[in-house]
């Protein structure tokens, strides 16, 4: 069995004059958890729609398990479990009725269907509410049931399209736990979001999209290593009489910028070991006493800003 | 105040952006009002019965008087007259193709004038009528009186016969004890003067070529008798049972609510699409055809349950019976339900948005119900619209249910409507397949 589960090559999708996805290519290996990151309108949902066969690409090809998806009834679609951004549930039905309906679409029936439904309910922590109508659920519970529906037929690849939108912190943590458990069970996960912290917690690889194109595709550590921005070091000073010594800091090799706000000194350090040592020596010489030192590496947010020139929330 | 104005401006902008809502608010009411106006208005002095009521006349007498009656009906724009024989007339009325046939019997012309004076010698005009069309029957019955009197007067009442009529009238006046002495004197004086006038016009027609219908009765207190009597005969295939008006009413009303209910289901289908449900459904290995077929069949089952429930209620409570073929009745119910479901899906495909579908759907359903005869008798519609009704699925659905219930027709009578409804189902399914969009606009 090939290690490669999904292979998307040069995907293009246009809506009238607007090109929503423009030459997107990436692969997913079995058991991998990949974050698809980008602001609203970056083309994430359109990409997910093409991967799951909901939209036909205007260009390029999606291969699932080594074969292209051919038509609506292609049995390879059973390899996929889609958790749509919207709460695609029947509110007037109970949780179990919803699961049994969607399970039947994947040819599950009888005892197998009942077992799958019960297992999915337990997995998302809704077994106690199996007989309650969905309209009585909180937003977070609906999100968890939305996830459970996608797990019924035991898919190999889960496409999660912003699964935590609009949920309370408790439910968000429950969903995180579910995704981490799915990773442990060997499921391949493509997790779409515009929350950095979710990707940093759940994924080992990140694809960053902007304006319909992939601007980066790397592991978290790989992305951080190829940054051009500096680390930041925050020094808490005991007393500051004047700032005449500040200009001297910016002349030190390995320090690109120094800012003073009250007793808090921020150093932008391009050479953490050599530069920081020389800066502390300079402060000692000008009789500035340092009470504490704290360093901060650039976040994914910083990397995104660096790559795209805009914040994730710019939309 | 600024906030209030901003909110109002926002709503107006949003409304103006919705072209279909604009069409619903302005163009559809104007169109419907214009249509209703053209149907029910009486402009230009024309008859309100725009297209003319289609009736049959059977002239078994072929006399000058009977031809005069036929001509009077034929020249009246209220009617569209077809002259035929009795057997054909019975067949057409029985099958609902015409509401009524007037049969002028042999000897009608010879007996009509004496019938004015001799109550034992009145010709009998038979009205063969569709029992569900009582309004048309009453209308024709009322219109017979002036037309027969006009024909008798034009063709039989010469000056000599007029003088004879005066003599008989004066004799009857002597016997009329309920008429006051002064009235008797005045009437006698008038009749004697008329007799003098007629004496100068012997061997000539009394009224010449009278134009326009005779209006009013000649002497209220004298009670001039009509020169004929009518006999109404309701035509139904199964003579063991009587016409039950609830059968037609339940067919019309249940069809109306099935169509309205399925329209709401179609709106729900589009809401399902907008909610993202289709993304989840189509992520499964499920064809578009299966999805649409399932929707169509579930709507049809709902429609069938509704129609079946309504008729079951009508049978238990109002004594409606399936006097025709049970298999034919079931076939018609099933096809009516399928046709309604297919129409609902086609409207969803054409309307595109929930609001648009509701708007277009209400207009289409109301029009189909009205033109199809569910609300008003079709004879009051303009002639072109009566013809257009033949290409409405509702007309065929209602006709088929009538045929199988109170008309008491056999299975073969269900075949033609069934074929037409199948054609409509195919048409609506094609529209749905070609125009239905899987993603919201």
């Amino acid at each position: 069995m090939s290690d490669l589960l999904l292979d998307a090559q040069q995907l293009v999708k246009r809506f009238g004059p607007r090109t929503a996805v423009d030459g997107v290519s990436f692969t997913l290996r079995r058991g991998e958890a990949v974050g698809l990151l980008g602001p609203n309108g970056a083309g994430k949902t359109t990409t997910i729609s093409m991967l799951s066969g909901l939209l036909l690409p205007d260009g390029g090809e999606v291969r699932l398990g080594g074969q292209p998806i051919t038509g609506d009834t292609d049995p390879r679609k059973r390899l996929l479990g889609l958790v749509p951004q919207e709460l695609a549930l029947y509110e007037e039905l109970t949780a179990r009725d919803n699961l049994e309906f969607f399970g039947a679409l994947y040819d599950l029936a009888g005892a197998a269907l009942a077992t799958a439904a019960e297992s999915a309910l337990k997995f998302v922590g809704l077994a106690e509410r199996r007989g309650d109508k969905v309209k009585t659920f909180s937003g977070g519970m609906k999100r968890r049931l939305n996830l459970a529906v996608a797990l019924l037929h035991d898919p190999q690849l889960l496409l999660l399209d912003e699964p935590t939108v609009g949920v309370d912190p408790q439910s968000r943590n429950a969903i995180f736990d579910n995704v981490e458990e799915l990773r442990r069970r060997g499921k391949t996960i493509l997790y779409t979001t515009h929350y950095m912290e979710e990707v940093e917690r759940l994924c080992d690889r990140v694809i960053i999209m902007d304006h319909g194109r992939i601007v980066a595709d790397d592991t978290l550590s790989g992305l951080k290593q190829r940054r051009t921005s500096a680390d930041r070091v925050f020094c808490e000073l005991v007393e500051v009489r004047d700032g005449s010594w500040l200009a001297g800091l910016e002349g030190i090799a390995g320090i690109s910028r120094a800012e003073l706000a009250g007793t808090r000194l921020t150093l932008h350090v391009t050479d953490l070991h050599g530069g920081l040592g020389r800066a502390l020596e300079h402060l000692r010489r000008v009789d500035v006493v340092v009470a504490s030192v704290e360093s901060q590496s650039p976040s994914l947010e910083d990397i995104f800003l660096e790559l795209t020139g805009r914040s994730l929330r710019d939309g | 105040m600024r906030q209030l104005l901003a909110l109002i401006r926002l709503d107006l902008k949003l409304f103006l952006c919705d072209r279909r809502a604009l069409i619903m608010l302005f163009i559809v009411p104007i169109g419907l009002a214009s249509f209703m106006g053209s149907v029910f208005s009486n402009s230009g002095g024309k008859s309100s019965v725009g297209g003319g009521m289609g009736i049959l006349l059977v002239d078994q007498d072929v006399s000058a008087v009977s031809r005069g009656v036929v001509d009077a009906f034929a020249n009246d724009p209220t009617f569209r007259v077809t002259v035929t024989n009795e057997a054909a007339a019975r067949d057409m009325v029985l099958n609902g193709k015409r509401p009524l046939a007037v049969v002028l019997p042999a000897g009608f012309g010879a007996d009509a004038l004496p019938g004015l004076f001799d109550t034992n010698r009145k010709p009998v005009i038979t009205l063969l009528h569709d029992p569900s069309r009582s309004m048309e029957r009453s209308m024709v019955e009322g219109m017979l009186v002036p037309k027969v009197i006009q024909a008798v007067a034009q063709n039989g009442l010469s000056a000599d016969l007029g003088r004879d009529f005066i003599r008989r009238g004066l004799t009857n006046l002597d016997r009329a004890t309920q008429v006051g002495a002064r009235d008797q004197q005045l009437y006698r004086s008038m009749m004697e003067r008329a007799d003098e006038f007629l004496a100068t016009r012997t061997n000539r027609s009394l009224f010449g070529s009278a134009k326009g219908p005779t209006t009013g009765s000649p002497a209220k207190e004298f009670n001039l008798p009509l020169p004929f009597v009518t006999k109404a005969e309701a035509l139904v295939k199964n003579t063991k049972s009587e016409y039950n008006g609830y059968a037609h009413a339940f067919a019309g009303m249940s069809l109306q609510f099935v169509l309205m209910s399925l329209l709401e289901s179609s709106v729900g289908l589009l809401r399902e699409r907008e909610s993202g449900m289709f993304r989840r459904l189509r992520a499964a290995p499920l064809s578009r055809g299966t999805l649409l077929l399932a929707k169509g069949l579930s709507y049809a089952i709902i429609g069938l349950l509704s129609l079946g429930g309504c008729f079951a209620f009508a049978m238990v409570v109002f004594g409606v019976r399936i006097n025709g073929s049970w298999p034919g009745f079931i076939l018609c119910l099933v096809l009516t339900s399928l046709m309604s479901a297919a129409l609902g899906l086609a409207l969803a495909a054409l309307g595109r948005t929930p609001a648009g579908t509701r708007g277009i759907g209400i207009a289409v359903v109301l029009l189909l119900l009205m033109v199809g005869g569910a609300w008003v008798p079709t004879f009051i519609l303009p002639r072109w619209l009566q013809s257009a009704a033949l290409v409405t699925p509702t007309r065929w659905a209602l006709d088929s249910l009538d045929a199988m219930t109170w008309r008491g027709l056999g299975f073969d009578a269900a075949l033609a409507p069934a074929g037409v409804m199948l054609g409509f189902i195919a048409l609506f399914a094609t529209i749905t397949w070609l125009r239905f969009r899987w993603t919201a606009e």
Side-chain angles (χ1 to χ4, degrees):
Chain A
M1 190 165 62
S2 165
D3 187 42
L4 195 64
L5 182 58
L6 183 132
D7 184 9
Q9 289 301 323
Q10 292 301 314
L11 293 181
V12 175
K13 188 67 195 176
R14 298 183 194 90
F15 296 106
R18 188 174 68 85
T19 302
V21 173
D22 189 6
V24 164
S25 299
F26 64 92
T27 59
L28 294 178
R29 291 186 305 281
R30 291 178 195 277
E32 197 176 21
V34 176
L36 185 58
L37 197 63
N40 292 330
K44 305 186 300 292
T45 297
T46 305
T47 302
I48 290 271
S49 294
M50 287 190 283
L51 298 182
S52 51
L54 304 181
L55 280 178
L56 280 178
D58 293 322
E61 186 182 53
V62 178
R63 284 178 173 266
L64 193 59
Q67 298 291 323
I69 294 177
T70 53
D72 291 332
T73 56
D74 193 320
R76 265 178 293 276
K77 287 169 92 174
R78 289 175 206 281
L79 298 174
L80 289 168
L82 174 68
V83 181
Q85 195 172 356
E86 306 88 353
L87 288 167
L89 300 165
Y90 292 101
E91 300 248 331
E92 294 299 324
L93 300 183
T94 65
R96 185 164 50 198
D97 287 343
N98 267 280
L99 291 172
E100 287 182 351
F101 165 69
F102 288 111
L105 297 182
Y106 289 89
D107 283 340
L108 292 173
L113 177 57
T115 306
E118 198 57 30
S119 168
L121 282 169
K122 277 183 187 159
F123 183 78
V124 297
L126 290 173
E128 300 297 315
R129 302 291 302 269
R130 62 173 71 81
D132 293 345
K133 288 188 175 180
V134 172
K135 68 180 179 185
T136 64
F137 285 12
S138 68
M141 289 163 73
K142 287 177 186 174
R143 281 279 160 204
R144 280 145 64 194
L145 186 60
N146 209 32
L147 171 63
V149 170
L151 302 176
L152 273 171
H153 59 290
D154 194 24
Q156 292 182 29
L157 170 60
L158 276 164
L159 304 173
L160 293 98
D161 193 2
E162 306 202 18
T164 58
V165 170
V167 302
D168 57 278
Q170 190 185 353
S171 290
R172 176 179 284 205
N173 278 328
I175 291 171
F176 289 167
D177 291 344
N178 290 153
V179 175
E180 283 171 338
E181 176 57 26
L182 288 168
R183 282 192 63 185
R184 279 193 288 277
R185 292 182 185 185
K187 300 292 181 196
T188 307
I189 292 166
L190 183 64
Y191 191 101
T192 301
T193 182
H194 53 241
Y195 293 114
M196 292 291 180
E197 59 276 20
E198 294 187 2
V199 172
E200 291 187 291
R201 173 171 170 178
L202 301 171
C203 304
D204 31 39
R205 202 176 113 213
V206 184
I207 297 169
I208 297 177
M209 283 189 77
D210 194 31
H211 296 304
R213 295 183 177 182
I214 291 179
V215 294
D217 179 358
D218 207 342
T219 60
L220 281 172
S221 57
L223 279 175
K224 287 180 178 177
Q225 276 172 7
R226 66 176 176 171
R227 75 190 191 276
T228 56
S229 56
D231 287 339
R232 278 177 294 180
V233 175
F234 304 101
C235 303
E236 194 60 41
L237 308 180
V238 173
E239 188 183 14
V240 178
R241 292 194 201 100
D242 63 71
S244 57
W245 44 268
L246 199 59
L249 279 174
E250 292 184 346
I252 294 171
I255 302 295
S256 61
R257 204 163 85 230
E259 295 159 352
L260 182 64
T263 58
R264 186 176 173 86
L265 172 67
T266 302
L267 299 172
H268 295 256
V269 185
T270 54
D271 173 9
L272 189 59
H273 298 292
L276 182 57
R278 286 188 285 273
L280 291 174
E281 176 59 25
H282 174 78
L283 290 173
R284 193 183 58 77
R285 278 203 306 269
V286 295
D287 293 331
V288 174
V289 180
V290 178
S292 65
V293 176
E294 182 188 344
S295 71
Q296 185 185 69
S297 295
S299 67
L300 203 50
E301 183 91 42
D302 298 322
I303 295 167
F304 185 87
L305 188 64
E306 194 176 298
L307 288 168
T308 65
R310 59 180 176 145
S311 149
L312 259 175
R313 304 317 195 263
D314 282 352
Chain B
M1 188 62 179
R2 188 176 295 167
Q3 289 171 324
L4 179 70
L5 290 175
L7 286 166
I8 292 170
R9 199 162 48 236
L10 169 75
D11 278 345
L12 291 177
K13 269 185 181 174
L14 290 174
F15 174 72
L16 290 171
C17 289
D18 189 344
R19 276 186 301 170
R20 286 186 179 82
L22 282 171
I23 289 170
M24 267 314 292
L25 194 66
F26 298 109
I27 300 186
V28 171
I30 289 169
L32 275 178
S34 305
F35 171 75
M36 297 295 279
S38 75
V39 169
F40 295 109
S41 71
N42 194 18
S43 58
K46 292 180 181 174
S47 166
S48 62
V49 184
M53 184 203 305
I55 64 165
L56 301 166
L57 279 173
V58 178
D59 184 1
Q60 295 175 332
D61 188 35
V62 200
S63 65
V65 176
S66 66
R67 276 198 300 271
V69 174
V70 171
D71 289 345
F73 271 106
N75 293 329
D76 188 335
T78 308
F79 300 100
R80 274 183 298 122
V81 171
T82 305
V83 178
T84 185
N85 61 45
E86 186 176 346
R90 282 181 177 275
D91 187 57
M92 291 173 84
V93 173
L94 192 65
N95 288 295
K97 292 175 181 168
R98 290 285 189 280
L100 179 137
V102 179
V103 181
L104 301 172
F108 171 74
D111 291 343
L113 191 63
L116 281 169
F117 314 106
D118 186 350
T119 52
N120 296 321
R121 202 183 159 193
K122 291 179 188 291
V124 177
I125 297 176
T126 305
L127 297 177
L128 305 173
H129 68 94
D130 182 329
S132 70
R133 313 287 284 272
S134 56
M135 193 187 289
E136 287 99 320
R137 191 193 109 189
S138 302
M139 189 174 169
V140 170
E141 217 164 7
M143 296 293 271
L144 260 176
V145 177
K147 292 188 190 313
V148 169
I149 287 177
Q150 181 185 348
V152 169
Q154 276 184 311
N155 297 288
L157 207 56
S158 65
D160 291 337
L161 285 169
R163 296 189 71 195
D164 185 46
F165 163 73
I166 287 170
R167 277 194 296 277
R168 287 166 187 253
L170 289 173
T171 305
N172 285 342
L173 187 64
D174 290 338
R175 293 192 209 123
T177 54
Q178 75 277 24
V179 181
R182 179 170 168 72
D183 283 350
Q184 272 204 12
Q185 188 184 350
L186 287 171
Y187 190 77
R188 183 178 300 283
S189 168
M190 182 189 76
M191 296 302 269
E192 284 169 354
R193 285 174 184 274
D195 188 51
E196 281 175 31
F197 167 73
L198 291 173
T200 64
R201 294 175 174 250
T202 51
N203 300 320
R204 289 167 65 181
S205 173
L206 182 58
F207 296 108
S209 57
K211 288 182 181 174
T214 307
T215 55
S217 55
K220 191 176 180 184
E221 290 160 345
F222 189 62
N223 287 329
L224 181 67
L226 291 175
F228 65 96
V229 291
T230 57
K231 184 185 84 177
E233 183 182 342
L235 296 184
V236 287
K237 189 92 171 181
N238 189 341
T239 53
K240 288 180 185 171
S241 58
E242 293 179 348
Y243 167 65
N244 188 328
Y246 285 103
H248 181 73
F250 268 81
M253 284 301 113
S254 56
L255 177 63
Q256 173 175 335
F257 282 92
V258 164
L259 287 173
M260 287 295 184
S261 159
L262 294 182
L263 175 61
E264 273 310 301
S265 298
S266 300
V267 170
L269 174 72
L270 297 186
R271 288 219 183 92
E272 223 177 307
R273 183 180 69 185
E274 287 190 339
S275 73
M277 184 61 78
F278 276 21
R279 282 170 58 77
R280 168 154 272 160
L281 294 177
R282 294 193 56 224
L286 178 72
S287 74
R288 297 189 309 163
T290 305
L291 185 54
L292 282 179
L293 183 65
K295 291 289 177 191
L297 288 178
S298 61
Y299 295 169
I301 291 168
I302 293 166
L304 186 61
L305 290 174
S306 173
L307 285 173
C310 283
F311 271 101
F313 181 86
M315 285 176 190
V316 173
V317 178
F318 297 111
V320 168
R321 293 288 174 265
I322 310 304
N323 294 327
S325 157
W326 263 101
F329 175 69
I330 291 167
L331 176 70
C332 293
L333 277 189
V334 168
L335 288 175
T336 300
S337 308
L338 282 169
M339 180 274 293
S340 304
L343 174 63
L345 286 177
L347 289 171
L350 294 171
R352 297 189 179 181
T353 61
T357 296
R358 181 173 282 120
I360 292 171
I362 288 172
V364 168
V365 168
L366 294 185
L367 202 63
L368 286 179
L369 288 167
M370 191 172 70
V371 175
W375 291 348
V376 292
T378 50
F379 79 87
I380 68 164
L381 303 176
R383 189 177 300 180
W384 66 269
L385 210 52
Q386 292 183 36
S387 303
L390 293 173
V391 291
T392 60
T394 41
R395 169 72 187 273
W396 289 92
L398 290 171
D399 280 358
S400 70
L401 293 172
D402 281 350
M404 295 300 111
T405 51
W406 62 267
R407 278 191 203 285
L409 301 180
F411 185 78
D412 55 336
L415 293 177
V420 173
M421 282 196 278
L422 275 173
F424 276 111
I425 291 166
L427 173 69
F428 296 145
T430 306
I431 290 171
T432 304
W433 182 254
L434 294 177
R435 297 295 302 271
F436 191 81
R437 290 170 189 267
W438 295 94
T439 50
E441 288 183 342

